[in-house]
Amino acid sequence: MRFTTVRGVAGLESIRGAWAAVTGAMTRRRFYQMYEWYSAFVRTLAPAPDAMQFTVAWRGEDPVAVFPLQRGTLRLHGLPLRSLGLPLHPHMPLVDVVLEPSDATAGVLDGLCEHLREEGPWDVLLLPRLLEDAAALFCLQRSRSPGRVVKAWDRCDTLLCRDYEARLPSYPKRFRNNLRRRQRHLESFGTVEFTREDRPEALSARLQAFLEVEASGWKGPGGMGTAIQCSDALRAFYERVAAEFGALGACHINLLRVNGACVAGEFTLVLDDTCYMLKGGYDEQYSKAAPGILLTDWQLREYGRDGRIEEMNYLNAVDWISEWGPRAAVVYRAWVFNRSLRGRWGAVTSRARWRTASLLGPLWREGAGRLGRRRSAPCPRTDGADGDDA
Protein backbone atom coordinates (compact mmCIF):
# COMPACT_ATOMS: atom_id res chain seq x y z
CA MET A 1 0.00 0.00 0.00
CA ARG A 2 1.31 3.45 -0.86
CA PHE A 3 0.14 6.94 0.17
CA THR A 4 0.02 10.30 -1.56
CA THR A 5 -0.89 13.66 -0.04
CA VAL A 6 -2.35 16.79 -1.64
CA ARG A 7 -3.26 20.11 -0.01
CA GLY A 8 -5.78 22.91 -0.28
CA VAL A 9 -8.53 23.47 -2.82
CA ALA A 10 -6.39 22.65 -5.85
CA GLY A 11 -5.17 19.42 -4.28
CA LEU A 12 -8.72 18.41 -3.41
CA GLU A 13 -9.87 18.97 -6.98
CA SER A 14 -7.01 16.81 -8.26
CA ILE A 15 -8.23 13.73 -6.37
CA ARG A 16 -11.94 14.04 -7.14
CA GLY A 17 -11.88 10.95 -9.35
CA ALA A 18 -9.98 8.87 -6.78
CA TRP A 19 -12.37 9.98 -4.02
CA ALA A 20 -15.39 9.05 -6.14
CA ALA A 21 -13.86 5.63 -6.82
CA VAL A 22 -13.51 4.98 -3.07
CA THR A 23 -17.06 6.07 -2.15
CA GLY A 24 -18.44 4.29 -5.21
CA ALA A 25 -17.12 0.98 -3.83
CA MET A 26 -18.59 1.51 -0.35
CA THR A 27 -21.68 -0.45 0.68
CA ARG A 28 -22.96 2.41 2.85
CA ARG A 29 -21.84 6.02 2.58
CA ARG A 30 -22.36 8.82 5.05
CA PHE A 31 -22.72 12.36 3.71
CA TYR A 32 -19.68 13.49 5.68
CA GLN A 33 -17.55 10.98 3.75
CA MET A 34 -18.42 12.49 0.40
CA TYR A 35 -16.18 14.64 -1.77
CA GLU A 36 -19.02 17.16 -2.11
CA TRP A 37 -19.07 17.78 1.66
CA TYR A 38 -15.38 18.60 1.82
CA SER A 39 -15.54 20.61 -1.37
CA ALA A 40 -18.02 22.93 0.38
CA PHE A 41 -16.13 22.96 3.68
CA VAL A 42 -12.66 23.78 2.33
CA ARG A 43 -13.97 26.62 0.17
CA THR A 44 -16.08 28.33 2.83
CA LEU A 45 -15.52 27.27 6.47
CA ALA A 46 -12.00 25.88 6.77
CA PRO A 47 -10.02 28.36 8.92
CA ALA A 48 -6.94 27.84 6.72
CA PRO A 49 -7.73 25.97 3.48
CA ASP A 50 -4.03 25.36 2.78
CA ALA A 51 -3.75 23.62 6.19
CA MET A 52 -6.19 20.97 4.95
CA GLN A 53 -4.45 17.94 3.51
CA PHE A 54 -5.94 14.89 1.84
CA THR A 55 -4.01 11.64 1.95
CA VAL A 56 -5.04 8.88 -0.46
CA ALA A 57 -4.14 5.24 0.19
CA TRP A 58 -3.53 3.16 -2.94
CA ARG A 59 -3.29 -0.58 -3.44
CA GLY A 60 -1.57 -0.90 -6.77
CA GLU A 61 -3.34 1.58 -9.04
CA ASP A 62 -6.61 1.51 -7.09
CA PRO A 63 -7.48 4.12 -4.43
CA VAL A 64 -8.83 2.39 -1.31
CA ALA A 65 -9.06 5.18 1.30
CA VAL A 66 -9.05 8.94 1.74
CA PHE A 67 -8.03 10.75 4.94
CA PRO A 68 -9.10 14.42 5.14
CA LEU A 69 -6.80 15.94 7.78
CA GLN A 70 -6.32 19.36 9.31
CA ARG A 71 -3.13 20.56 10.98
CA GLY A 72 -3.30 22.49 14.21
CA THR A 73 -2.42 22.60 17.90
CA LEU A 74 -4.35 20.67 20.54
CA ARG A 75 -4.11 21.28 24.28
CA LEU A 76 -4.55 18.01 26.14
CA HIS A 77 -4.50 18.25 29.95
CA GLY A 78 -2.70 21.57 29.54
CA LEU A 79 -0.04 20.09 27.24
CA PRO A 80 0.22 21.64 23.73
CA LEU A 81 0.45 18.96 21.05
CA ARG A 82 1.05 19.25 17.32
CA SER A 83 -2.09 17.69 15.91
CA LEU A 84 -3.37 16.22 12.70
CA GLY A 85 -6.97 15.17 12.56
CA LEU A 86 -10.37 15.01 10.97
CA PRO A 87 -11.83 18.55 10.96
CA LEU A 88 -13.39 19.72 14.21
CA HIS A 89 -16.01 22.40 13.53
CA PRO A 90 -19.48 23.24 14.98
CA HIS A 91 -21.07 22.67 11.58
CA MET A 92 -19.39 19.29 11.08
CA PRO A 93 -21.30 17.32 13.75
CA LEU A 94 -19.90 13.89 12.72
CA VAL A 95 -16.74 12.94 10.85
CA ASP A 96 -15.06 9.79 9.53
CA VAL A 97 -12.33 8.51 7.28
CA VAL A 98 -13.36 7.41 3.78
CA LEU A 99 -13.02 3.70 3.10
CA GLU A 100 -14.88 0.39 2.94
CA PRO A 101 -14.14 -1.68 6.08
CA SER A 102 -12.63 -4.92 4.79
CA ASP A 103 -9.52 -7.08 4.92
CA ALA A 104 -8.04 -4.90 2.19
CA THR A 105 -8.14 -1.81 4.44
CA ALA A 106 -7.51 -3.43 7.83
CA GLY A 107 -3.96 -2.08 8.22
CA VAL A 108 -4.44 1.26 6.53
CA LEU A 109 -4.29 3.37 9.72
CA ASP A 110 -0.84 2.07 10.68
CA GLY A 111 0.34 2.74 7.15
CA LEU A 112 -1.07 6.27 7.32
CA CYS A 113 0.81 6.99 10.56
CA GLU A 114 4.09 5.85 8.98
CA HIS A 115 3.43 8.07 5.97
CA LEU A 116 2.66 11.07 8.18
CA ARG A 117 5.90 10.54 10.14
CA GLU A 118 7.83 10.79 6.90
CA GLU A 119 6.05 14.04 6.00
CA GLY A 120 6.79 15.97 9.19
CA PRO A 121 6.54 16.13 12.98
CA TRP A 122 3.27 15.53 14.79
CA ASP A 123 2.23 14.37 18.26
CA VAL A 124 -1.36 13.20 17.99
CA LEU A 125 -3.88 12.16 15.35
CA LEU A 126 -7.33 13.33 16.49
CA LEU A 127 -10.48 11.50 15.35
CA PRO A 128 -13.40 13.38 16.94
CA ARG A 129 -17.12 12.54 16.85
CA LEU A 130 -17.10 9.07 15.30
CA LEU A 131 -20.45 7.28 15.02
CA GLU A 132 -20.41 3.78 16.48
CA ASP A 133 -20.22 2.15 13.02
CA ALA A 134 -17.52 4.54 11.75
CA ALA A 135 -14.88 3.26 9.38
CA ALA A 136 -12.26 4.95 11.59
CA LEU A 137 -13.27 2.72 14.52
CA PHE A 138 -12.84 -0.34 12.29
CA CYS A 139 -9.30 0.85 11.52
CA LEU A 140 -8.55 1.53 15.20
CA GLN A 141 -9.70 -1.95 16.21
CA ARG A 142 -7.24 -3.48 13.76
CA SER A 143 -4.36 -1.12 14.41
CA ARG A 144 -1.19 -2.29 16.12
CA SER A 145 -0.31 1.18 17.38
CA PRO A 146 0.17 1.22 21.19
CA GLY A 147 -0.69 4.92 21.29
CA ARG A 148 -4.38 4.69 20.41
CA VAL A 149 -7.05 5.78 22.92
CA VAL A 150 -10.81 5.52 22.26
CA LYS A 151 -13.48 7.00 24.52
CA ALA A 152 -17.30 7.14 24.40
CA TRP A 153 -18.08 10.84 24.21
CA ASP A 154 -21.69 11.60 23.27
CA ARG A 155 -24.76 10.17 21.58
CA CYS A 156 -26.53 10.58 18.27
CA ASP A 157 -30.32 10.15 18.06
CA THR A 158 -32.12 8.53 15.13
CA LEU A 159 -35.78 7.88 14.32
CA LEU A 160 -36.97 4.81 12.43
CA CYS A 161 -38.95 5.66 9.28
CA ARG A 162 -39.95 2.26 7.92
CA ASP A 163 -43.58 1.31 8.60
CA TYR A 164 -44.07 4.49 10.64
CA GLU A 165 -47.84 4.70 10.11
CA ALA A 166 -48.25 1.01 10.96
CA ARG A 167 -46.32 1.58 14.21
CA LEU A 168 -48.05 4.83 15.12
CA PRO A 169 -51.03 3.14 16.95
CA SER A 170 -48.51 1.58 19.36
CA TYR A 171 -47.28 5.01 20.48
CA PRO A 172 -48.77 6.41 23.73
CA LYS A 173 -52.28 7.73 23.33
CA ARG A 174 -51.31 11.05 24.81
CA PHE A 175 -48.62 11.51 22.15
CA ARG A 176 -51.04 10.73 19.31
CA ASN A 177 -53.66 13.07 20.76
CA ASN A 178 -51.08 15.84 21.02
CA LEU A 179 -50.19 15.44 17.35
CA ARG A 180 -53.85 15.79 16.36
CA ARG A 181 -54.36 18.76 18.70
CA ARG A 182 -51.33 20.57 17.30
CA GLN A 183 -52.49 19.91 13.74
CA ARG A 184 -55.95 21.37 14.51
CA HIS A 185 -54.38 24.39 16.20
CA LEU A 186 -52.18 25.07 13.17
CA GLU A 187 -55.14 24.65 10.80
CA SER A 188 -57.02 27.32 12.78
CA PHE A 189 -54.63 29.89 11.26
CA GLY A 190 -55.52 28.94 7.69
CA THR A 191 -54.42 26.60 4.88
CA VAL A 192 -51.63 24.23 5.93
CA GLU A 193 -49.23 22.84 3.33
CA PHE A 194 -46.25 20.47 3.68
CA THR A 195 -43.81 20.44 0.76
CA ARG A 196 -40.46 18.90 -0.18
CA GLU A 197 -38.06 20.18 -2.82
CA ASP A 198 -35.14 18.19 -4.25
CA ARG A 199 -34.90 19.47 -7.82
CA PRO A 200 -31.47 21.07 -8.34
CA GLU A 201 -32.88 24.01 -10.29
CA ALA A 202 -35.37 24.87 -7.53
CA LEU A 203 -33.18 24.41 -4.45
CA SER A 204 -31.76 27.95 -4.41
CA ALA A 205 -35.17 29.62 -3.96
CA ARG A 206 -36.27 26.98 -1.46
CA LEU A 207 -33.03 27.47 0.52
CA GLN A 208 -33.75 31.20 0.81
CA ALA A 209 -37.17 30.48 2.33
CA PHE A 210 -35.59 28.07 4.80
CA LEU A 211 -32.87 30.54 5.80
CA GLU A 212 -35.45 33.24 6.48
CA VAL A 213 -37.53 31.09 8.80
CA GLU A 214 -34.42 29.73 10.55
CA ALA A 215 -33.34 33.32 11.33
CA SER A 216 -36.81 34.49 12.40
CA GLY A 217 -36.54 33.43 16.05
CA TRP A 218 -33.98 33.19 18.81
CA LYS A 219 -31.23 32.13 16.40
CA GLY A 220 -31.55 35.35 14.41
CA PRO A 221 -29.89 38.78 14.66
CA GLY A 222 -32.17 39.80 17.53
CA GLY A 223 -31.30 36.68 19.55
CA MET A 224 -28.22 34.48 19.76
CA GLY A 225 -27.03 35.39 16.28
CA THR A 226 -26.27 31.76 15.42
CA ALA A 227 -28.58 31.53 12.40
CA ILE A 228 -26.98 30.74 9.06
CA GLN A 229 -28.00 34.15 7.70
CA CYS A 230 -25.91 35.87 10.41
CA SER A 231 -22.65 34.64 8.84
CA ASP A 232 -21.55 35.12 5.23
CA ALA A 233 -19.28 32.06 5.52
CA LEU A 234 -22.08 29.84 6.85
CA ARG A 235 -24.47 31.02 4.18
CA ALA A 236 -21.89 30.31 1.48
CA PHE A 237 -21.28 26.85 2.98
CA TYR A 238 -24.93 25.79 2.94
CA GLU A 239 -25.48 27.26 -0.51
CA ARG A 240 -22.58 25.17 -1.79
CA VAL A 241 -23.77 22.06 0.08
CA ALA A 242 -27.21 22.48 -1.49
CA ALA A 243 -25.66 22.85 -4.96
CA GLU A 244 -23.15 19.97 -4.60
CA PHE A 245 -25.59 17.46 -3.10
CA GLY A 246 -28.49 18.77 -5.17
CA ALA A 247 -26.62 17.68 -8.28
CA LEU A 248 -26.67 14.16 -6.80
CA GLY A 249 -30.38 14.39 -5.97
CA ALA A 250 -29.38 14.12 -2.32
CA CYS A 251 -30.50 17.49 -0.89
CA HIS A 252 -34.07 17.79 0.39
CA ILE A 253 -35.46 21.04 1.81
CA ASN A 254 -38.79 20.50 3.58
CA LEU A 255 -41.11 23.41 4.41
CA LEU A 256 -44.34 23.82 6.33
CA ARG A 257 -46.46 26.76 5.12
CA VAL A 258 -49.56 28.42 6.51
CA ASN A 259 -51.49 30.57 4.01
CA GLY A 260 -48.40 30.47 1.80
CA ALA A 261 -46.03 31.78 4.48
CA CYS A 262 -43.22 29.49 5.67
CA VAL A 263 -43.55 28.69 9.40
CA ALA A 264 -41.05 25.81 9.69
CA GLY A 265 -38.31 24.25 7.61
CA GLU A 266 -35.62 21.59 7.63
CA PHE A 267 -32.46 21.31 5.55
CA THR A 268 -31.66 17.63 5.02
CA LEU A 269 -29.30 15.42 3.06
CA VAL A 270 -30.49 11.99 1.91
CA LEU A 271 -27.91 9.35 1.05
CA ASP A 272 -28.44 5.63 0.60
CA ASP A 273 -30.95 4.62 3.32
CA THR A 274 -30.62 7.60 5.68
CA CYS A 275 -32.01 11.12 5.93
CA TYR A 276 -29.69 13.48 7.84
CA MET A 277 -31.23 16.48 9.60
CA LEU A 278 -28.60 19.18 9.20
CA LYS A 279 -30.56 22.27 10.23
CA GLY A 280 -34.07 23.22 11.23
CA GLY A 281 -36.03 26.28 12.30
CA TYR A 282 -39.55 27.58 12.84
CA ASP A 283 -41.50 30.81 13.30
CA GLU A 284 -41.96 31.31 17.04
CA GLN A 285 -45.35 32.97 16.49
CA TYR A 286 -46.67 29.46 15.88
CA SER A 287 -44.80 27.77 18.74
CA LYS A 288 -48.00 26.54 20.47
CA ALA A 289 -48.75 24.45 17.40
CA ALA A 290 -45.21 22.99 17.49
CA PRO A 291 -44.68 23.28 13.71
CA GLY A 292 -41.28 21.56 13.93
CA ILE A 293 -42.86 18.46 15.49
CA LEU A 294 -45.61 18.43 12.87
CA LEU A 295 -43.02 18.71 10.09
CA THR A 296 -41.09 15.77 11.57
CA ASP A 297 -44.28 13.70 11.77
CA TRP A 298 -45.01 14.48 8.12
CA GLN A 299 -41.50 13.48 7.05
CA LEU A 300 -41.71 10.20 8.95
CA ARG A 301 -45.00 9.44 7.18
CA GLU A 302 -43.59 10.35 3.76
CA TYR A 303 -40.38 8.37 4.13
CA GLY A 304 -42.32 5.48 5.65
CA ARG A 305 -44.56 5.30 2.58
CA ASP A 306 -41.61 5.63 0.24
CA GLY A 307 -39.85 2.64 1.83
CA ARG A 308 -36.32 3.53 0.74
CA ILE A 309 -35.30 5.55 3.82
CA GLU A 310 -34.70 3.51 6.95
CA GLU A 311 -33.97 6.27 9.46
CA MET A 312 -33.72 9.98 10.14
CA ASN A 313 -30.39 10.81 11.76
CA TYR A 314 -30.28 13.97 13.90
CA LEU A 315 -26.45 13.98 14.15
CA ASN A 316 -26.58 14.94 17.85
CA ALA A 317 -28.49 14.25 21.03
CA VAL A 318 -31.95 15.84 20.54
CA ASP A 319 -34.29 15.92 23.53
CA TRP A 320 -37.44 17.16 21.78
CA ILE A 321 -37.84 13.94 19.73
CA SER A 322 -37.96 11.78 22.89
CA GLU A 323 -41.71 11.09 22.42
CA TRP A 324 -40.90 9.05 19.30
CA GLY A 325 -38.57 6.77 21.27
CA PRO A 326 -35.39 7.48 19.30
CA ARG A 327 -32.51 5.04 19.05
CA ALA A 328 -29.38 6.45 20.65
CA ALA A 329 -26.11 5.58 18.92
CA VAL A 330 -22.81 6.09 20.73
CA VAL A 331 -20.44 8.77 19.43
CA TYR A 332 -16.75 8.21 20.15
CA ARG A 333 -13.65 10.36 20.24
CA ALA A 334 -10.27 8.79 19.50
CA TRP A 335 -6.62 9.79 19.70
CA VAL A 336 -3.62 8.09 18.11
CA PHE A 337 -0.49 9.35 19.86
CA ASN A 338 2.76 9.44 17.95
CA ARG A 339 6.12 8.18 19.20
CA SER A 340 7.38 11.72 19.83
CA LEU A 341 8.19 12.75 23.40
CA ARG A 342 5.08 14.89 23.73
CA GLY A 343 2.99 12.23 22.03
CA ARG A 344 4.13 9.56 24.51
CA TRP A 345 3.51 11.93 27.42
CA GLY A 346 0.02 12.72 26.11
CA ALA A 347 -0.83 9.01 25.91
CA VAL A 348 0.40 8.32 29.45
CA THR A 349 -1.39 11.28 31.07
CA SER A 350 -4.62 10.64 29.15
CA ARG A 351 -4.85 7.02 30.20
CA ALA A 352 -3.97 7.84 33.82
CA ARG A 353 -6.52 10.62 34.04
CA TRP A 354 -9.37 8.65 32.49
CA ARG A 355 -8.69 5.56 34.58
CA THR A 356 -8.74 7.68 37.71
CA ALA A 357 -11.97 9.34 36.61
CA SER A 358 -13.61 5.98 35.85
CA LEU A 359 -12.72 4.76 39.35
CA LEU A 360 -13.57 7.90 41.30
CA GLY A 361 -16.57 9.02 39.26
CA PRO A 362 -19.04 6.45 40.69
CA LEU A 363 -17.75 7.07 44.22
CA TRP A 364 -18.16 10.82 43.79
CA ARG A 365 -21.70 10.40 42.48
CA GLU A 366 -22.61 8.08 45.35
CA GLY A 367 -21.21 10.54 47.90
CA ALA A 368 -23.01 13.46 46.30
CA GLY A 369 -26.25 11.47 46.33
CA ARG A 370 -25.93 10.67 50.02
CA LEU A 371 -25.16 14.29 50.84
CA GLY A 372 -28.14 15.44 48.80
CA ARG A 373 -30.47 12.98 50.56
CA ARG A 374 -29.30 14.20 53.97
CA ARG A 375 -30.02 17.77 52.94
CA SER A 376 -33.37 16.77 51.38
CA ALA A 377 -32.38 18.57 48.21
CA PRO A 378 -31.64 17.34 44.68
CA CYS A 379 -28.01 16.34 44.22
CA PRO A 380 -26.14 17.81 41.24
CA ARG A 381 -26.02 15.72 38.09
CA THR A 382 -22.56 14.45 37.37
CA ASP A 383 -23.13 12.62 34.10
CA GLY A 384 -19.94 13.04 32.12
CA ALA A 385 -17.77 13.54 35.21
CA ASP A 386 -15.18 11.36 33.53
CA GLY A 387 -14.93 13.72 30.58
CA ASP A 388 -11.87 15.68 29.50
CA ASP A 389 -10.86 19.11 28.33
CA ALA A 390 -9.78 18.13 24.84
Side-chain angles (χ1 to χ4, degrees):
M1 195 176 292
R2 62 184 177 91
F3 295 83
T4 58
T5 296
V6 297
R7 292 175 173 81
V9 175
L12 177 62
E13 290 176 347
S14 72
I15 62 167
R16 181 167 193 158
W19 198 312
V22 175
T23 53
M26 293 167 60
T27 55
R28 186 183 192 187
R29 306 161 298 169
R30 301 287 189 179
F31 76 89
Y32 44 84
Q33 294 174 305
M34 299 294 286
Y35 172 90
E36 289 76 10
W37 181 249
Y38 279 94
S39 176
F41 175 75
V42 173
R43 288 174 168 84
T44 57
L45 291 186
D50 291 338
M52 282 293 302
Q53 66 181 60
F54 303 91
T55 299
V56 182
W58 304 78
R59 188 174 292 280
E61 297 301 314
D62 299 323
V64 295
V66 181
F67 298 88
L69 302 174
Q70 194 171 36
R71 283 194 175 271
T73 301
L74 171 70
R75 295 193 69 86
L76 189 63
H77 318 315
L79 179 70
L81 302 177
R82 295 163 296 186
S83 67
L84 278 164
L86 299 176
L88 188 60
H89 189 279
H91 287 260
M92 299 190 79
L94 295 172
V95 292
D96 200 0
V97 302
V98 187
L99 59 86
E100 173 68 15
S102 68
D103 291 341
T105 55
V108 71
L109 185 61
D110 292 339
L112 171 71
C113 291
E114 288 297 331
H115 171 75
L116 295 176
R117 291 186 190 105
E118 295 172 1
E119 288 203 320
W122 57 280
D123 302 311
V124 62
L125 180 64
L126 175 63
L127 306 172
R129 299 200 60 79
L130 305 172
L131 202 57
E132 61 186 22
D133 64 352
L137 290 175
F138 167 84
C139 295
L140 285 163
Q141 290 167 358
R142 286 152 182 81
S143 170
R144 298 188 302 272
S145 170
R148 63 192 187 279
V149 178
V150 181
K151 187 171 179 61
W153 199 259
D154 202 349
R155 80 170 199 263
C156 173
D157 290 336
T158 63
L159 295 178
L160 183 64
C161 300
R162 187 174 293 278
D163 300 323
Y164 173 67
E165 289 188 317
R167 291 184 289 106
L168 195 55
S170 65
Y171 283 80
K173 184 177 181 180
R174 180 180 177 183
F175 170 64
R176 290 180 281 124
N177 288 341
N178 281 339
L179 284 177
R180 288 191 289 266
R181 177 181 56 79
R182 288 161 175 160
Q183 181 75 23
R184 290 194 299 268
H185 183 70
L186 193 63
E187 290 171 349
S188 69
F189 292 100
T191 303
V192 174
E193 181 186 20
F194 296 90
T195 61
R196 168 174 298 127
E197 187 59 77
D198 59 2
R199 295 172 299 165
E201 67 275 12
L203 282 174
S204 180
R206 182 61 64 96
L207 176 62
Q208 180 58 38
F210 166 75
L211 294 178
E212 289 174 1
V213 75
E214 197 238 358
S216 66
W218 62 270
K219 294 182 182 180
M224 297 292 290
T226 57
I228 295 170
Q229 293 234 91
C230 296
S231 166
D232 291 341
L234 282 179
R235 184 184 180 96
F237 173 66
Y238 284 95
E239 286 175 347
R240 186 168 282 274
V241 167
E244 295 266 11
F245 282 88
L248 303 177
C251 181
H252 293 184
I253 299 178
N254 306 292
L255 298 182
L256 169 55
R257 300 181 186 272
V258 176
N259 294 329
C262 181
V263 301
E266 288 184 332
F267 184 103
T268 71
L269 297 178
V270 177
L271 196 64
D272 295 339
D273 63 354
T274 304
C275 172
Y276 301 91
M277 316 300 291
L278 259 67
K279 284 292 174 181
Y282 65 92
D283 188 333
E284 293 179 356
Q285 297 181 62
Y286 298 86
S287 59
K288 289 186 177 179
I293 289 178
L294 292 177
L295 186 55
T296 295
D297 176 65
W298 176 78
Q299 288 184 89
L300 287 169
R301 293 175 187 272
E302 288 293 300
Y303 287 133
R305 294 188 193 108
D306 182 87
R308 290 175 295 177
I309 305 301
E310 291 285 345
E311 65 180 23
M312 289 165 54
N313 186 319
Y314 281 80
L315 305 174
N316 285 292
V318 184
D319 292 335
W320 64 266
I321 64 171
S322 59
E323 292 179 303
W324 276 283
R327 173 186 173 270
V330 180
V331 175
Y332 292 88
R333 177 171 283 199
W335 299 259
V336 181
F337 293 96
N338 200 4
R339 296 192 295 255
S340 64
L341 183 60
R342 281 185 288 182
R344 292 175 187 271
W345 179 249
V348 170
T349 57
S350 297
R351 290 194 179 101
R353 178 166 177 164
W354 292 328
R355 284 170 183 163
T356 301
S358 65
L359 290 172
L360 297 183
L363 297 176
W364 193 94
R365 286 191 287 269
E366 182 180 354
R370 288 176 178 175
L371 179 62
R373 287 192 292 272
R374 286 199 298 269
R375 292 178 176 177
S376 299
C379 65
R381 285 188 62 86
T382 58
D383 298 23
D386 58 342
D388 190 63
D389 58 355

Short mmCIF file of all heavy atoms in Angstrom, two decimals, residues 14-23 56 58 63-66:
data_model
loop_
_atom_site.label_atom_id
_atom_site.label_comp_id
_atom_site.label_asym_id
_atom_site.label_seq_id
_atom_site.Cartn_x
_atom_site.Cartn_y
_atom_site.Cartn_z
N SER A 14 -7.82 17.77 -7.50
CA SER A 14 -7.01 16.81 -8.26
C SER A 14 -7.33 15.36 -7.91
O SER A 14 -7.00 14.46 -8.69
CB SER A 14 -5.53 17.08 -8.03
OG SER A 14 -5.13 16.70 -6.71
N ILE A 15 -7.94 15.12 -6.75
CA ILE A 15 -8.23 13.73 -6.37
C ILE A 15 -9.73 13.42 -6.42
O ILE A 15 -10.18 12.44 -5.85
CB ILE A 15 -7.69 13.41 -4.95
CG1 ILE A 15 -8.36 14.30 -3.89
CG2 ILE A 15 -6.18 13.56 -4.91
CD1 ILE A 15 -8.10 13.85 -2.47
N ARG A 16 -10.49 14.26 -7.09
CA ARG A 16 -11.94 14.04 -7.14
C ARG A 16 -12.29 12.66 -7.69
O ARG A 16 -13.14 11.96 -7.15
CB ARG A 16 -12.62 15.13 -7.98
CG ARG A 16 -14.13 14.96 -8.05
CD ARG A 16 -14.83 16.17 -8.59
NE ARG A 16 -16.27 16.08 -8.35
CZ ARG A 16 -17.08 17.12 -8.32
NH1 ARG A 16 -16.59 18.34 -8.49
NH2 ARG A 16 -18.36 16.96 -8.09
N GLY A 17 -11.61 12.26 -8.76
CA GLY A 17 -11.88 10.95 -9.35
C GLY A 17 -11.53 9.81 -8.41
O GLY A 17 -12.28 8.83 -8.29
N ALA A 18 -10.38 9.92 -7.73
CA ALA A 18 -9.98 8.87 -6.78
C ALA A 18 -10.96 8.79 -5.62
O ALA A 18 -11.33 7.70 -5.18
CB ALA A 18 -8.56 9.16 -6.27
N TRP A 19 -11.40 9.95 -5.13
CA TRP A 19 -12.37 9.98 -4.02
C TRP A 19 -13.67 9.31 -4.45
O TRP A 19 -14.25 8.50 -3.70
CB TRP A 19 -12.61 11.43 -3.61
CG TRP A 19 -13.24 11.61 -2.25
CD1 TRP A 19 -14.32 10.95 -1.75
CD2 TRP A 19 -12.81 12.51 -1.23
NE1 TRP A 19 -14.63 11.38 -0.48
CE2 TRP A 19 -13.70 12.34 -0.13
CE3 TRP A 19 -11.80 13.44 -1.13
CZ2 TRP A 19 -13.59 13.10 1.04
CZ3 TRP A 19 -11.68 14.19 0.04
CH2 TRP A 19 -12.57 14.01 1.11
N ALA A 20 -14.15 9.65 -5.64
CA ALA A 20 -15.39 9.05 -6.14
C ALA A 20 -15.26 7.55 -6.30
O ALA A 20 -16.22 6.79 -6.06
CB ALA A 20 -15.79 9.70 -7.46
N ALA A 21 -14.08 7.07 -6.68
CA ALA A 21 -13.86 5.63 -6.82
C ALA A 21 -13.96 4.93 -5.46
O ALA A 21 -14.52 3.83 -5.36
CB ALA A 21 -12.50 5.37 -7.45
N VAL A 22 -13.44 5.58 -4.41
CA VAL A 22 -13.51 4.98 -3.07
C VAL A 22 -14.95 4.94 -2.58
O VAL A 22 -15.44 3.89 -2.13
CB VAL A 22 -12.62 5.76 -2.08
CG1 VAL A 22 -12.80 5.21 -0.67
CG2 VAL A 22 -11.16 5.68 -2.49
N THR A 23 -15.67 6.06 -2.64
CA THR A 23 -17.06 6.07 -2.15
C THR A 23 -17.96 5.22 -3.03
O THR A 23 -18.94 4.64 -2.55
CB THR A 23 -17.59 7.52 -2.09
OG1 THR A 23 -17.41 8.16 -3.36
CG2 THR A 23 -16.87 8.31 -1.01
N VAL A 56 -4.38 9.99 0.22
CA VAL A 56 -5.04 8.88 -0.46
C VAL A 56 -4.18 7.63 -0.30
O VAL A 56 -2.97 7.67 -0.50
CB VAL A 56 -5.25 9.18 -1.95
CG1 VAL A 56 -6.01 8.03 -2.63
CG2 VAL A 56 -6.01 10.50 -2.13
N TRP A 58 -3.40 3.89 -1.68
CA TRP A 58 -3.53 3.16 -2.94
C TRP A 58 -3.06 1.73 -2.74
O TRP A 58 -2.07 1.48 -2.06
CB TRP A 58 -2.67 3.81 -4.02
CG TRP A 58 -2.94 5.26 -4.27
CD1 TRP A 58 -2.51 6.31 -3.51
CD2 TRP A 58 -3.69 5.81 -5.35
NE1 TRP A 58 -2.94 7.49 -4.05
CE2 TRP A 58 -3.67 7.22 -5.18
CE3 TRP A 58 -4.36 5.26 -6.44
CZ2 TRP A 58 -4.31 8.07 -6.08
CZ3 TRP A 58 -5.00 6.12 -7.31
CH2 TRP A 58 -4.98 7.50 -7.14
N PRO A 63 -7.34 3.40 -5.71
CA PRO A 63 -7.48 4.12 -4.43
C PRO A 63 -8.40 3.34 -3.50
O PRO A 63 -9.47 2.86 -3.93
CB PRO A 63 -8.10 5.45 -4.84
CG PRO A 63 -8.86 5.15 -6.10
CD PRO A 63 -8.09 4.06 -6.79
N VAL A 64 -8.01 3.16 -2.24
CA VAL A 64 -8.83 2.39 -1.31
C VAL A 64 -9.25 3.20 -0.09
O VAL A 64 -10.13 2.76 0.66
CB VAL A 64 -8.08 1.12 -0.83
CG1 VAL A 64 -7.84 0.17 -1.99
CG2 VAL A 64 -6.77 1.47 -0.15
N ALA A 65 -8.69 4.38 0.13
CA ALA A 65 -9.06 5.18 1.30
C ALA A 65 -8.64 6.62 1.09
O ALA A 65 -7.68 6.92 0.37
CB ALA A 65 -8.41 4.63 2.57
N VAL A 66 -9.39 7.52 1.72
CA VAL A 66 -9.05 8.94 1.74
C VAL A 66 -9.11 9.43 3.18
O VAL A 66 -10.07 9.12 3.90
CB VAL A 66 -10.00 9.79 0.86
CG1 VAL A 66 -9.58 11.25 0.88
CG2 VAL A 66 -10.04 9.26 -0.56
#
